[in-house]
């Protein structure tokens, strides 16, 4: 049995964490927490950290005692420098909290790359964890909608670098922009994305701790995650009918199944493919064929099979990427954004000249 | 031996003497021993023995025996001969002792009776001229009638009593003495006719004896006592007293109509069946159907233990836990209603009783008349209430769901607290 720690930082991280907690309940609905119990594979501790109290209050499925409020007005306002300082000031509280939760075999830290709190807390938290413990720590990072503005883009660029340098054992990317196709208003789009991410995390945790027919375990996962450029994403497909396992595998690797835009056969370096379902649907030959096709194109592919009676085929693929054109694109717009921000700043400084004009009427009263 | 003979003679004589003394019927008693001239007769009671012819030369005589003037025997007998004939209840014997010549011839006769009580002989003697000149004695019969002019009267009224006597016998009633006893429950108010101390009533005579007025003093049916009369006939013979009829008089009391107060009481309820813990309203109706006012009117409502008195009209006071109504007076034809509400507590069949008591004066008697009565309602059925079945369930039926709800509630609250930041 694995001991798993999941920390959600900032609003985005909190909400994805809450989605994980929600899906762990049997009913997976608003009232589930009143009548059912969470069911995790292994021992799972979830912690939501935020500077904005309202964001924490909004959560519904995460126990109150597992929410840590770091008081700093109303968040850090997307300013990562402020965020970093706040983390430093409150590091002890957070670390003591985690300490009290006991020993872990693996940790996941969920955050958006672009906000203030999550993106600044996450690299620093990972660094702390790595210094104190020797379990692997993975970051699950959400990339912004590209139109969200220059501040977010620059935050994303810097926070990703910070996370990579924090000593994390890997970054799993999820891209709001890429998943935008889910549609609906922002709130329901977020909820949809969060549920997708949560479902994958739960599946993954299940896979790392299952009596699989063909075994994959935390060690395999570590190996996969250590490959490539330390950047990974997840593909997933869950059929709602008797779909050939071959199709299910292909779909999990297609854009519709991925959290981040990538050409798997081009950019992936290692993979772990976990297939779940009723024995009758799982043709070993088909599975082998598909996995061979993938490993022929990339590198090593771990495969695991979980037998669940009466379940239609489900496939989860963890893929580490050697290269990512999408990320390169992101960085190039981020650089543009940084330039824009700098220009804006100088512009604001020139605008300060206006102050001089106003200062001329200082001390005078209008005469009527 | 000589002595014995002397004793027997004495006994015989003594016996004979005794027989004479008591007039023993078996003894022959001499009535007349003497001479009777031809054409004359000898009367004994109503019998006359006429000596119709005397034949001196032949020593015979012809005798004719009449009873009440009627010829019974006509016989010629010789000297020393006798004839016998029935005399009343006894027998009479006539012996011709001798005959003599003279201006008119005479017969010497010896008359005896046997089997006869000589105390019954009231007349005995020579009748000159024979039976045609004899006076016979008869039997007066008095019929006394007592009549009243009214048979039905009221107390204080009077009746006229008339007593008359008629002699329907064949002899005059002599020395008639009437006895008219006092009459209880009546007062002798006036006397119009009163008899003399003694009187006589001729054959066929109707005599008014008494006329007087009696006043009735009390109610009842009275039989007037009979008037009696003692009397004798011409021969001073006494007869058993005559008795009058006994008229009946009914005396009634004149009623002064009395007044009454008759309070009719009835109680009805708005529903004959009521669910437990529900209420019923009962109404007591009162009406004085009499012609006198009632006073001191009390109505007491007997509420069964299985009911609870909830409320009622202002006139209903709770005295010692009992709902009561009091009215000083309740006039003739007056009507009233009182309502009250009860709550049924226990299943069953019940009646409500209203006890009424009052007094009234009947205008005749000095003291008030006291009346008490009661009215009973029809049966009232107290049935199970809507939720009674629930109350009858064992406690756990309630406790378990409550505990379950409490546990669920506590759980939901716990979860709510757990997830509320
Ligand atoms: N997928 C997903 N993205 C989210 C969600 N909420 C916010 N984001 C994204 O996260 C970014 C903003 O970061 P937040 O997590 O809101 O910011 P924060 O960490 O709370 O930091 P501050 O609010 O600036 O203190 C934007 O790019 C949003 O698109 C969410 O629920 N799901
Ligand atoms: Mg925020």
């Amino acid at each position: 049995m694995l001991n798993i720690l999941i920390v959600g930082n900032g609003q985005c991280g909190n909400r994805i964490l809450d989605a994980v907690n929600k899906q762990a309940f049997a009913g997976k609905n608003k009232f589930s927490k009143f009548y059912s119990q969470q069911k995790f594979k292994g021992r799972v501790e979830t912690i939501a950290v935020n500077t904005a109290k309202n964001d924490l209050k909004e959560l519904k499925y995460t126990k109150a005692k597992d929410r840590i409020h770091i008081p700093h007005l109303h968040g850090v306002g997307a300013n990562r420098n402020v965020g970093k300082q706040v983390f430093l000031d409150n590091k002890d509280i957070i670390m003591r909290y985690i300490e009290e939760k006991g020993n872990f075999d693996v940790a996941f830290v969920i955050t958006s790359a672009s906000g203030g709190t999550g993106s600044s807390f996450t690299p620093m938290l990972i660094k702390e964890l790595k210094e104190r413990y020797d379990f692997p720590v993975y970051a699950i990072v959400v990339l912004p909608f590209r139109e969200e503005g220059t501040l977010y883009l620059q935050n994303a660029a810097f926070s990703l670098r910070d996370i990579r340098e924090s000593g994390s054992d890997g970054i799993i990317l999820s891209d709001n922009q890429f998943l935008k196709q889910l549609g609906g208003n922002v709130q329901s789009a977020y909820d949809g994305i969060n549920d997708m991410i949560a479902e994958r995390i739960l599946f993954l945790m299940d896979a790392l701790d299952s009596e699989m027919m063909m075994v994959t375990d935390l060690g395999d996962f570590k190996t996969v995650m250590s490959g490539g450029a330390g950047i990974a994403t997840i593909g997933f497909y869950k059929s709602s009918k008797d779909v050939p396992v071959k199709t299910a595998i292909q779909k999990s690797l297609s854009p519709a199944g991925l959290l981040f835009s990538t050409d798997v056969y081009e950019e992936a370096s290692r993979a772990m493919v976990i297939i779940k379902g009723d024995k009758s649907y799982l043709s070993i030959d088909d599975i082998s064929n598909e996995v061979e096709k993938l490993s022929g194109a990339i590198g090593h592919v771990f495969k695991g099979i979980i037998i669940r009676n009466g379940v239609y085929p489900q496939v989860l693929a963890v893929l580490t990427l050697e290269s990512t054109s999408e990320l390169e694109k992101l960085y190039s717009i981020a650089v543009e954004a940084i330039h824009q921000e700098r220009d804006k700043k100088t512009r604001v400084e020139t605008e300060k000249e206006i102050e001089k004009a106003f200062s001329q009427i200082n001390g005078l009263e209008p005469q009527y | 031996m000589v002595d014995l003979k002397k004793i027997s003679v004495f006994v015989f004589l003594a016996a004979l003497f005794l027989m004479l003394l008591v007039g023993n019927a078996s003894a022959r008693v001499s009535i007349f021993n003497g001479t009777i001239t031809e054409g004359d007769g000898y009367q004994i009671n109503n019998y006359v023995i006429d000596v119709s012819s005397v034949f001196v030369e032949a020593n015979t005589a012809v005798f004719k025996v009449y009873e009440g003037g009627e010829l019974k025997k006509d016989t010629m007998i010789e000297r020393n001969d006798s004839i016998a004939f029935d005399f009343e209840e006894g027998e009479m014997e006539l012996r011709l002792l001798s005959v003599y010549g003279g201006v008119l011839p005479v017969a010497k006769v010896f008359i005896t009776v046997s089997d006869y009580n000589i105390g019954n002989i009231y007349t005995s003697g020579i009748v000159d001229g024979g039976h045609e000149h004899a006076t016979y004695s008869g039997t007066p019969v008095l019929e006394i009638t007592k009549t009243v002019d009214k048979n039905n009267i009221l107390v204080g009224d009077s009746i006229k009593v008339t007593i008359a006597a008629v002699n329907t016998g064949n002899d005059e009633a002599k020395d008639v003495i009437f006895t008219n006893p006092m009459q209880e429950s009546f007062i002798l108010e006036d006397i119009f006719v009163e008899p003399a101390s003694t009187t006589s009533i001729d054959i066929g005579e109707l005599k008014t004896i008494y006329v007087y007025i009696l006043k009735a003093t009390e109610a009842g049916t009275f039989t007037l006592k009979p008037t009696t009369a003692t009397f004798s006939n011409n021969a001073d013979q006494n007869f058993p007293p005559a008795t009058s009829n006994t008229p009946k008089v009914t005396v009634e009391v004149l009623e002064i109509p009395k007044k009454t107060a008759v309070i009719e009481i009835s109680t009805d309820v708005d529903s004959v069946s009521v669910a437990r813990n529900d209420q019923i309203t009962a109404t007591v109706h009162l009406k004085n159907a009499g012609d006198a006012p009632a006073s001191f009117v009390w109505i007491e409502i007997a509420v069964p233990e299985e009911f609870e008195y909830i409320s009622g009209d202002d006139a209903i006071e709770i005295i010692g836990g009992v709902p009561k109504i009091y009215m000083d007076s309740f006039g003739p034809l007056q009507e009233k209603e009182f309502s009250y509400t009860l709550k049924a507590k226990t299943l069953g069949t019940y009646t409500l009783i209203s006890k009424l008591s009052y007094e009234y004066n009947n205008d005749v008697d000095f003291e008030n008349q006291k009346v008490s009565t009661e009215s009973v309602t029809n049966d009232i059925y107290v049935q199970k209430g809507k939720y009674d079945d629930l109350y009858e369930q064992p406690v756990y039926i309630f406790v378990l769901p409550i505990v379950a709800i409490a546990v669920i509630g506590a759980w939901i609250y716990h979860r709510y607290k757990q997830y509320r930041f």
Side-chain angles (χ1 to χ4, degrees), chain A residues 25 33-34 36-37 60-61 63-64 67, chain B residues 411-413 415-421:
Chain A
F25 279 110
K33 64 184 172 194
F34 295 118
S36 75
Q37 290 287 352
K60 290 192 177 76
Y61 305 94
K63 283 181 179 156
R67 304 179 209 176
Chain B
W411 173 253
I412 288 173
Y413 181 71
R415 278 292 170 105
Y416 170 77
K417 283 294 272 187
Q418 216 172 18
Y419 288 92
R420 164 138 186 98
F421 183 74

Side-chain angles (χ1 to χ4, degrees), chain A residues 50-323:
Chain A
N50 209 329
T51 50
K53 198 167 187 175
N54 281 340
D55 291 354
L56 287 170
K57 275 190 175 165
E58 223 177 70
L59 307 184
K60 290 192 177 76
Y61 305 94
T62 307
K63 283 181 179 156
K65 67 175 173 55
D66 293 338
R67 304 179 209 176
I68 305 173
H69 178 226
I70 304 301
H72 193 270
L73 296 173
H74 301 290
V76 297
N79 188 330
R80 294 190 67 245
N81 291 335
V82 177
K84 283 178 184 169
Q85 191 54 52
V86 171
F87 181 86
L88 284 177
D89 294 344
N90 295 279
K91 182 175 76 177
D92 292 344
I93 302 173
I94 299 166
M95 294 318 291
R96 198 185 315 124
Y97 205 90
I98 292 167
E99 179 73 42
E100 282 165 8
K101 291 281 181 184
N103 295 320
F104 295 101
D105 300 305
V106 61
F108 296 93
V109 183
I110 310 167
T111 184
S112 72
S114 47
T117 305
S119 69
S120 54
F121 275 34
T122 300
M124 300 188 84
L125 174 66
I126 291 173
K127 196 166 169 239
E128 282 300 321
L129 288 172
K130 290 308 287 183
E131 274 170 15
R132 287 172 196 235
Y133 309 105
D134 56 4
F135 52 76
V137 180
Y138 301 101
I140 297 171
V141 179
V142 175
L143 299 176
F145 295 103
R146 303 296 181 265
E147 70 270 15
E148 276 182 298
T150 50
L151 263 186
Y152 278 9
L153 285 169
Q154 95 179 7
N155 276 352
F158 284 104
S159 72
L160 264 179
R161 190 193 63 191
D162 286 355
I163 292 166
R164 266 197 91 202
E165 288 171 357
S166 68
S168 90
D169 294 272
I171 300 168
I172 297 167
L173 286 180
S174 174
D175 190 351
N176 280 350
Q177 181 69 31
F178 179 66
L179 298 171
K180 200 178 172 181
Q181 62 231 32
L182 288 167
N185 60 31
V186 181
Q187 186 59 52
S188 67
Y190 281 161
D191 287 345
I193 294 166
N194 296 351
D195 282 343
M196 283 176 69
I197 298 168
E199 191 173 34
R200 283 157 176 75
I201 292 171
L202 284 164
F203 193 112
L204 179 64
M205 290 195 295
D206 192 11
L208 297 181
D209 204 9
S210 284
E211 313 80 50
M212 290 191 229
M213 208 172 90
M214 296 173 112
V215 191
T216 54
D217 58 15
L218 184 56
D220 299 338
F221 179 69
K222 279 194 211 167
T223 309
V224 172
M225 288 300 290
S226 64
I231 303 285
T233 192
I234 296 176
F236 180 71
Y237 180 76
K238 181 181 181 180
S239 49
S240 55
K241 57 185 200 298
D242 179 9
V243 181
V245 69
K246 201 171 89 181
T247 315
I249 295 170
Q250 285 167 3
K251 290 208 166 177
S252 73
L253 300 172
S254 74
L258 293 167
L259 292 178
F260 175 71
S261 174
T262 181
D263 180 345
V264 173
Y265 294 91
E266 282 293 316
E267 299 185 328
S269 98
R270 284 179 193 170
M272 188 167 89
V273 179
I274 303 138
I275 299 132
K276 192 196 277 185
D278 193 287
K279 222 190 239 163
S280 61
Y281 305 132
L282 308 184
S283 153
I284 298 294
D285 286 349
D286 283 0
I287 294 170
S288 298
N289 277 340
E290 279 308 310
V291 169
E292 267 164 34
K293 223 164 80 184
L294 182 62
S295 61
I298 58 170
H300 191 78
V301 177
F302 293 90
K303 78 174 175 230
I305 296 173
I306 306 171
I307 302 298
R308 287 285 148 85
N309 290 343
V311 173
Y312 292 128
Q314 298 179 10
V315 179
L316 181 95
V318 179
L319 304 145
T320 41
L321 307 176
E322 262 171 5
S323 60

Side-chain angles (χ1 to χ4, degrees), chain B residues 246-373:
Chain B
T246 54
K248 276 199 170 98
V249 179
T250 303
V251 181
E252 282 171 292
V253 180
L254 179 67
E255 295 277 341
I256 300 168
K258 289 179 179 175
K259 287 189 169 183
T260 52
V262 181
I263 300 184
E264 294 169 348
I265 180 167
S266 66
T267 308
D268 53 44
V269 286
D270 59 351
S271 165
V272 292
S273 96
V274 59
R276 185 165 67 181
N277 290 326
D278 276 2
Q279 299 186 349
I280 53 166
T281 298
T283 305
V284 180
H285 305 270
L286 297 175
K287 183 185 178 178
N288 186 350
D291 50 7
S295 53
F296 308 113
V297 183
W298 278 105
I299 295 137
E300 185 182 318
I301 297 161
V303 178
E305 263 178 44
E306 295 81 359
F307 284 83
E308 189 186 324
Y309 182 85
I310 302 293
S311 64
D313 290 351
D314 288 346
I316 304 175
E317 290 175 87
I318 308 294
I319 300 169
V322 179
K324 290 183 179 176
I325 301 162
Y326 175 75
M327 290 183 288
D328 254 342
S329 75
F330 195 59
L333 297 178
Q334 198 177 341
E335 288 182 52
K336 245 179 186 158
E337 278 185 2
F338 302 96
S339 292
Y340 57 92
T341 301
L342 302 179
K343 180 179 173 182
K345 291 192 293 188
T346 310
L347 301 189
T349 305
Y350 308 99
T351 53
L352 302 177
I353 298 172
S354 308
K355 296 178 182 167
L356 167 71
S357 65
Y358 58 95
E359 297 183 8
Y360 68 91
N361 193 283
N362 64 11
D363 268 8
V364 173
D365 297 313
F366 176 74
E367 291 222 353
N368 276 355
Q369 309 296 308
K370 289 179 180 164
V371 181
S372 60
T373 176

